[in-house]
Coordinates of all heavy atoms in Angstrom, one line a residue:
H1 N 9.8 -4.4 -9.4 CA 10.8 -4.8 -10.4 C 11.2 -6.2 -10.3 O 11.3 -6.9 -11.4 CB 12.0 -3.9 -10.3 CG 13.1 -4.1 -11.3 ND1 12.9 -3.8 -12.6 CD2 14.3 -4.7 -11.1 CE1 14.0 -4.2 -13.3 NE2 14.9 -4.7 -12.4
A2 N 11.4 -6.7 -9.1 CA 11.9 -8.1 -8.9 C 10.8 -9.1 -9.3 O 11.1 -10.2 -9.9 CB 12.3 -8.3 -7.5
V3 N 9.5 -8.8 -8.9 CA 8.4 -9.8 -9.1 C 7.8 -9.6 -10.5 O 7.5 -10.6 -11.1 CB 7.4 -9.6 -8.0 CG1 6.2 -10.6 -8.2 CG2 8.0 -9.9 -6.6
L4 N 7.5 -8.4 -10.9 CA 6.7 -8.2 -12.1 C 7.5 -7.6 -13.2 O 7.0 -7.3 -14.3 CB 5.5 -7.2 -11.8 CG 4.6 -7.7 -10.7 CD1 3.5 -6.6 -10.4 CD2 3.9 -9.0 -11.1
H5 N 8.8 -7.3 -13.0 CA 9.7 -6.7 -14.0 C 9.3 -5.4 -14.4 O 9.5 -5.0 -15.6 CB 9.9 -7.7 -15.2 CG 10.3 -9.1 -14.8 ND1 11.5 -9.4 -14.3 CD2 9.6 -10.3 -14.8 CE1 11.6 -10.7 -14.0 NE2 10.5 -11.2 -14.3
I6 N 8.6 -4.6 -13.6 CA 8.2 -3.3 -13.9 C 9.4 -2.4 -13.7 O 10.1 -2.4 -12.7 CB 7.1 -2.8 -12.9 CG1 5.8 -3.7 -13.1 CG2 6.8 -1.3 -13.1 CD1 4.7 -3.3 -12.1
P7 N 9.7 -1.5 -14.7 CA 10.9 -0.6 -14.6 C 10.8 0.3 -13.3 O 9.7 0.7 -12.9 CB 10.8 0.2 -15.8 CG 10.0 -0.6 -16.8 CD 9.0 -1.4 -16.0
L8 N 11.9 0.5 -12.7 CA 11.9 1.3 -11.5 C 11.2 2.6 -11.6 O 10.4 3.0 -10.7 CB 13.3 1.5 -10.9 CG 14.0 0.2 -10.3 CD1 15.4 0.5 -9.9 CD2 13.2 -0.2 -9.1
P9 N 11.4 3.4 -12.6 CA 10.7 4.7 -12.7 C 9.2 4.6 -12.7 O 8.5 5.4 -12.0 CB 11.2 5.3 -14.0 CG 12.5 4.7 -14.2 CD 12.4 3.3 -13.7
V10 N 8.7 3.5 -13.4 CA 7.2 3.3 -13.4 C 6.8 2.8 -12.0 O 5.7 3.2 -11.5 CB 6.9 2.3 -14.5 CG1 5.4 2.0 -14.4 CG2 7.3 2.8 -15.8
G11 N 7.6 1.9 -11.4 CA 7.3 1.5 -10.0 C 7.2 2.6 -9.0 O 6.4 2.5 -8.1
Y12 N 8.1 3.6 -9.1 CA 8.0 4.7 -8.2 C 6.7 5.4 -8.3 O 6.1 5.8 -7.3 CB 9.1 5.7 -8.6 CG 10.5 5.2 -8.4 CD1 11.6 5.7 -9.2 CD2 10.8 4.3 -7.4 CE1 12.9 5.2 -9.0 CE2 12.1 3.8 -7.2 CZ 13.2 4.3 -8.0 OH 14.4 3.8 -7.9
L13 N 6.2 5.6 -9.6 CA 4.9 6.2 -9.8 C 3.8 5.4 -9.2 O 2.9 5.9 -8.5 CB 4.7 6.5 -11.2 CG 3.3 7.1 -11.6 CD1 3.2 8.5 -11.0 CD2 3.2 7.2 -13.1
L14 N 3.8 4.1 -9.4 CA 2.8 3.2 -8.8 C 2.8 3.2 -7.3 O 1.7 3.3 -6.7 CB 3.0 1.8 -9.3 CG 2.7 1.5 -10.8 CD1 3.1 0.0 -11.1 CD2 1.3 1.8 -11.2
T15 N 3.9 3.2 -6.7 CA 4.0 3.2 -5.2 C 3.4 4.5 -4.7 O 2.8 4.5 -3.6 CB 5.4 3.0 -4.7 OG1 6.2 4.2 -5.1 CG2 6.0 1.8 -5.3
T16 N 3.5 5.6 -5.4 CA 2.9 6.8 -5.0 C 1.4 6.9 -5.1 O 0.7 7.3 -4.2 CB 3.6 8.0 -5.8 OG1 5.0 8.0 -5.6 CG2 3.1 9.3 -5.3
L17 N 0.9 6.4 -6.3 CA -0.5 6.4 -6.5 C -1.3 5.5 -5.6 O -2.5 5.8 -5.3 CB -0.8 6.1 -8.0 CG -0.2 7.1 -9.0 CD1 -0.4 6.6 -10.4 CD2 -0.8 8.5 -8.8
I18 N -0.7 4.4 -5.2 CA -1.5 3.4 -4.5 C -2.0 3.9 -3.2 O -3.1 3.6 -2.8 CB -0.6 2.2 -4.2 CG1 -0.4 1.3 -5.5 CG2 -1.2 1.3 -3.1 CD1 0.6 0.2 -5.4
V19 N -1.2 4.8 -2.5 CA -1.6 5.2 -1.1 C -2.5 6.4 -1.1 O -3.2 6.6 -0.1 CB -0.4 5.5 -0.3 CG1 0.6 4.3 -0.2 CG2 0.4 6.7 -0.8
I20 N -2.6 7.1 -2.2 CA -3.4 8.4 -2.2 C -4.9 8.2 -1.8 O -5.4 8.9 -1.0 CB -3.2 9.2 -3.5 CG1 -1.8 9.7 -3.6 CG2 -4.3 10.3 -3.6 CD1 -1.5 10.4 -4.9
P21 N -5.6 7.2 -2.4 CA -7.0 7.0 -2.0 C -7.2 6.6 -0.6 O -8.2 7.0 0.0 CB -7.4 5.8 -2.9 CG -6.5 5.8 -4.1 CD -5.2 6.3 -3.5
I22 N -6.2 5.9 0.0 CA -6.3 5.5 1.4 C -6.2 6.7 2.3 O -7.0 6.9 3.2 CB -5.2 4.5 1.8 CG1 -5.4 3.2 0.9 CG2 -5.3 4.1 3.3 CD1 -4.2 2.3 1.0
V23 N -5.2 7.6 2.0 CA -4.9 8.7 2.9 C -6.0 9.8 2.7 O -6.2 10.6 3.6 CB -3.5 9.3 2.6 CG1 -3.2 10.4 3.5 CG2 -2.5 8.2 2.7
F24 N -6.6 9.8 1.6 CA -7.6 10.9 1.3 C -8.7 10.9 2.4 O -9.1 12.0 2.8 CB -8.3 10.6 -0.1 CG -9.1 11.7 -0.6 CD1 -8.4 12.7 -1.4 CD2 -10.4 11.8 -0.4 CE1 -9.2 13.7 -1.9 CE2 -11.2 12.8 -0.9 CZ -10.5 13.8 -1.7
K25 N -9.1 9.8 2.9 CA -10.2 9.7 3.9 C -9.7 9.8 5.3 O -10.5 9.7 6.2 CB -11.0 8.4 3.7 CG -11.8 8.4 2.4 CD -12.9 9.5 2.4 CE -14.1 9.1 3.4 NZ -15.2 10.1 3.3
G26 N -8.4 9.9 5.5 CA -7.9 10.2 6.8 C -7.9 9.0 7.8 O -7.8 7.8 7.4
M27 N -8.1 9.3 9.1 CA -7.9 8.3 10.1 C -8.9 7.1 9.9 O -8.5 6.0 10.2 CB -8.2 9.0 11.5 CG -8.2 8.1 12.7 SD -6.6 7.4 13.1 CE -7.0 6.6 14.7
S28 N -10.1 7.3 9.5 CA -11.1 6.3 9.4 C -10.6 5.2 8.5 O -10.7 4.0 8.8 CB -12.4 6.8 9.0 OG -12.4 7.5 7.8
W29 N -10.2 5.5 7.3 CA -9.7 4.5 6.3 C -8.4 3.9 6.7 O -8.2 2.7 6.5 CB -9.7 5.1 4.9 CG -11.0 5.2 4.3 CD1 -12.3 5.3 4.9 CD2 -11.3 5.1 2.9 NE1 -13.3 5.4 4.0 CE2 -12.7 5.2 2.7 CE3 -10.5 5.0 1.7 CZ2 -13.4 5.2 1.5 CZ3 -11.2 5.0 0.5 CH2 -12.5 5.1 0.4
I30 N -7.5 4.8 7.2 CA -6.2 4.3 7.5 C -6.3 3.2 8.6 O -5.6 2.2 8.6 CB -5.2 5.4 8.0 CG1 -4.9 6.3 6.8 CG2 -3.9 4.9 8.5 CD1 -4.2 7.6 7.2
A31 N -7.2 3.5 9.6 CA -7.4 2.5 10.7 C -7.9 1.2 10.1 O -7.4 0.1 10.6 CB -8.4 3.0 11.7
R32 N -8.7 1.2 9.2 CA -9.2 -0.1 8.6 C -8.1 -0.8 7.8 O -8.0 -2.0 8.0 CB -10.4 0.2 7.6 CG -11.6 0.8 8.3 CD -12.6 1.2 7.3 NE -13.7 1.9 7.9 CZ -14.6 2.6 7.2 NH1 -14.6 2.7 5.9 NH2 -15.6 3.3 7.9
V33 N -7.4 -0.1 7.0 CA -6.3 -0.7 6.3 C -5.2 -1.3 7.2 O -4.8 -2.5 7.0 CB -5.6 0.3 5.3 CG1 -4.3 -0.3 4.7 CG2 -6.6 0.7 4.2
Q34 N -4.9 -0.6 8.3 CA -3.9 -1.1 9.2 C -4.4 -2.4 9.9 O -3.7 -3.4 10.1 CB -3.6 -0.1 10.3 CG -3.0 1.2 9.8 CD -1.6 1.0 9.2 OE1 -1.1 -0.1 8.9 NE2 -0.9 2.2 8.9
A35 N -5.7 -2.4 10.2 CA -6.3 -3.6 10.9 C -6.4 -4.8 9.9 O -6.0 -5.9 10.3 CB -7.7 -3.3 11.4
W36 N -6.8 -4.6 8.7 CA -7.0 -5.7 7.8 C -5.6 -6.3 7.4 O -5.6 -7.5 7.1 CB -7.7 -5.2 6.5 CG -9.1 -4.7 6.7 CD1 -9.9 -5.1 7.8 CD2 -9.9 -3.9 5.9 NE1 -11.1 -4.5 7.6 CE2 -11.1 -3.7 6.5 CE3 -9.6 -3.2 4.7 CZ2 -12.2 -2.9 5.9 CZ3 -10.6 -2.4 4.1 CH2 -11.9 -2.3 4.8
T37 N -4.6 -5.5 7.3 CA -3.3 -6.0 6.8 C -2.4 -6.5 7.9 O -1.4 -7.1 7.6 CB -2.6 -4.9 6.0 OG1 -2.4 -3.7 6.8 CG2 -3.3 -4.5 4.7
Q38 N -2.8 -6.3 9.1 CA -1.9 -6.6 10.3 C -1.6 -8.1 10.3 O -0.4 -8.5 10.5 CB -2.5 -6.2 11.6 CG -1.5 -6.0 12.7 CD -0.7 -4.7 12.6 OE1 -0.5 -4.2 11.5 NE2 -0.3 -4.2 13.7
P39 N -2.5 -9.1 10.2 CA -2.1 -10.5 10.2 C -1.1 -10.9 9.2 O -0.2 -11.7 9.4 CB -3.5 -11.2 10.0 CG -4.5 -10.2 10.4 CD -4.0 -8.9 10.0
I40 N -1.3 -10.4 7.9 CA -0.4 -10.7 6.8 C 1.0 -10.2 7.2 O 2.0 -10.9 7.0 CB -0.9 -10.2 5.5 CG1 -2.2 -10.8 5.1 CG2 0.2 -10.4 4.4 CD1 -2.8 -10.2 3.9
W41 N 1.0 -9.0 7.7 CA 2.3 -8.4 8.0 C 3.1 -9.1 9.1 O 4.3 -9.3 9.0 CB 2.1 -6.9 8.4 CG 3.4 -6.2 8.7 CD1 4.4 -5.8 7.8 CD2 3.9 -5.9 10.0 NE1 5.5 -5.3 8.5 CE2 5.2 -5.3 9.8 CE3 3.4 -6.0 11.3 CZ2 6.0 -4.9 10.9 CZ3 4.2 -5.6 12.4 CH2 5.4 -5.0 12.2
I42 N 2.4 -9.5 10.2 CA 3.0 -10.2 11.3 C 3.5 -11.5 10.8 O 4.7 -11.9 11.2 CB 2.0 -10.3 12.5 CG1 1.7 -9.0 13.1 CG2 2.6 -11.3 13.5 CD1 0.6 -9.0 14.1
L43 N 2.8 -12.3 10.0 CA 3.2 -13.5 9.5 C 4.5 -13.4 8.6 O 5.5 -14.1 8.8 CB 2.1 -14.2 8.7 CG 2.5 -15.6 8.1 CD1 2.8 -16.6 9.1 CD2 1.3 -16.1 7.2
G44 N 4.4 -12.4 7.8 CA 5.6 -12.1 6.9 C 6.8 -11.6 7.6 O 7.9 -11.9 7.2
L45 N 6.6 -10.9 8.7 CA 7.7 -10.4 9.5 C 8.5 -11.6 10.2 O 9.7 -11.6 10.2 CB 7.2 -9.4 10.6 CG 8.2 -8.8 11.5 CD1 9.1 -7.8 10.7 CD2 7.5 -8.0 12.6

């Protein structure tokens, strides 16, 4: 909402749909996503 001015109800739906493909494949895909995003997250933290 703050960055793209997407209404909150629509944003709630988007946040839900984004993670489903990742979780679908279980530990193997989640491990990759966690590893790829870790540098960005540490810098941002």
Side-chain angles (χ1 to χ4, degrees):
H1 179 70
V3 179
L4 302 175
H5 306 292
I6 296 176
L8 285 177
V10 178
Y12 297 148
L13 178 61
L14 289 178
T15 63
T16 303
L17 295 177
I18 286 173
V19 302
I20 291 178
I22 301 171
V23 183
F24 194 87
K25 291 294 289 184
M27 174 72 172
S28 58
W29 280 29
I30 294 174
R32 293 172 190 167
V33 170
Q34 301 292 11
W36 294 341
T37 57
Q38 202 76 333
I40 298 175
W41 179 74
I42 292 174
L43 178 62
L45 181 68

